[in-house]
Amino acid sequence: MNKRKFFIYPLLALCLLNAGCAAFLLGAGAGTAGVIWYKGRLQETLPYSVPHVYEAAKAGLRDLDIGITEERHDKLTAKIKGKLADDTEVWVDAESKNASTTVLTIRVGILGDKAFTLRIRDAIKKHL
């Protein structure tokens, strides 16, 4: 019986890692700080309204010379799509959690570029 447990637990851990659940669990721990990196996206909860985050996102993208190709927004959601000079797509989404809290999601490229995503996040936060 002990030999069976010896093999089952590592196999279970391997399945969780392969399915991305471990990254989700690790992100949940980081979620208390308000920032999660999961499957190529950065998500952060900000203490601002969606319209305020939307304007800051546009300004931050302009600061980095990221061309905005598409944008939609209302009081509860905002979506901005842009392109880098090498045609890599950038997505910035803002969704209201309540009147004064917004979840900001940023993705660079299909697989995600964590370093550049963090640069975009910092450029946005500079305008908040």
Side-chain angles (χ1 to χ4, degrees), residues 53-99:
V53 172
Y54 168 72
E55 292 300 328
K58 287 194 325 182
L61 292 174
R62 278 194 301 268
D63 287 352
L64 296 173
D65 292 326
I66 297 172
I68 296 174
T69 58
E70 198 177 310
E71 57 184 290
R72 299 187 310 264
H73 71 284
D74 55 35
K75 290 184 179 184
L76 299 175
T77 62
K79 296 185 180 299
I80 302 172
K81 191 174 177 182
K83 279 201 177 187
L84 302 176
D86 66 356
D87 284 337
T88 301
E89 290 189 316
V90 174
W91 296 271
V92 178
D93 297 329
E95 186 174 327
S96 176
K97 271 183 105 171
N98 59 46

Side-chain angles (χ1 to χ4, degrees), residues 24-125:
F24 180 74
L25 292 174
L26 292 173
T32 58
V35 179
I36 298 173
W37 176 262
Y38 180 65
K39 291 192 176 184
R41 294 180 302 168
L42 177 118
Q43 226 175 34
E44 183 167 356
T45 302
L46 301 170
Y48 300 97
S49 66
V50 168
H52 194 79
V53 172
Y54 168 72
E55 292 300 328
K58 287 194 325 182
L61 292 174
R62 278 194 301 268
D63 287 352
L64 296 173
D65 292 326
I66 297 172
I68 296 174
T69 58
E70 198 177 310
E71 57 184 290
R72 299 187 310 264
H73 71 284
D74 55 35
K75 290 184 179 184
L76 299 175
T77 62
K79 296 185 180 299
I80 302 172
K81 191 174 177 182
K83 279 201 177 187
L84 302 176
D86 66 356
D87 284 337
T88 301
E89 290 189 316
V90 174
W91 296 271
V92 178
D93 297 329
E95 186 174 327
S96 176
K97 271 183 105 171
N98 59 46
S100 62
T101 307
T102 299
V103 176
L104 175 69
T105 305
I106 305 168
R107 182 184 200 103
V108 176
I110 293 173
L111 299 176
D113 180 335
K114 189 171 186 177
F116 203 76
T117 300
L118 291 171
R119 283 185 61 199
I120 293 171
R121 190 249 346 234
D122 293 343
I124 292 169
K125 288 180 89 173

